Amino acid sequence: VQLQASGGGLVQPGGSLRLSCAASGVTLDFYDISWTRQAPGKEREGVSCISSNGGSTYYADSVKGRFTISRDQTTVYLQMNSLEPEDTALYYCATISCDGLREGVFGSGGQGTQVTVSS
């Protein structure tokens, strides 16, 4: 399944953005969906995950309390509040299981969406 992340942009510190992740012509009902990010010069890291039925979520410590993941049949959302300059990165979504994300499976490639937090 090929996913497309969108919704990135430039925002001031303390601001908010909502990212979306969707697949063309395919519902995402059967998949855990994970968000990962990669900042310039750094390795990709896990951000958040939601289980296929939406009943379980996971957040990296760095975003806990600020980011919220949610989903409907066709789209997974990442609501990002209280953004910090350290959140600046290319954000990706992928069908990585939540167990996999917790264990350090972050994937590679994909077409991310750029989030830049700067004043």
Side-chain angles (χ1 to χ4, degrees):
V1 177
Q2 282 201 320
L3 303 179
Q4 178 66 53
S6 62
L10 173 63
V11 64
Q12 292 187 341
S16 298
L17 282 173
R18 189 176 80 156
L19 305 185
S20 298
C21 173
S24 177
V26 177
T27 63
L28 302 178
D29 292 18
F30 302 110
Y31 301 98
D32 290 3
I33 301 295
S34 288
W35 286 96
T36 61
R37 66 186 182 186
Q38 188 162 17
K42 294 188 176 181
E43 293 188 354
R44 196 173 292 200
E45 63 176 354
V47 175
S48 183
C49 182
I50 187 165
S51 61
S52 57
N53 65 5
S56 177
T57 58
Y58 161 82
Y59 298 94
D61 287 344
S62 58
V63 307
K64 208 171 287 185
R66 300 188 296 121
F67 290 11
T68 303
I69 193 169
S70 62
R71 69 185 300 160
D72 57 32
Q73 277 191 316
T74 61
T75 307
V76 173
Y77 305 96
L78 188 67
Q79 178 67 43
M80 306 187 299
N81 298 329
S82 302
L83 282 162
E84 304 168 351
E86 292 74 22
D87 296 316
T88 295
L90 201 55
Y91 283 71
Y92 302 89
C93 60
T95 55
I96 298 169
S97 72
C98 292
D99 286 344
L101 194 73
R102 290 188 189 92
E103 293 169 5
V105 176
F106 302 140
S108 62
Q111 196 167 3
T113 186
Q114 178 67 42
V115 171
T116 303
V117 184
S118 175
S119 55

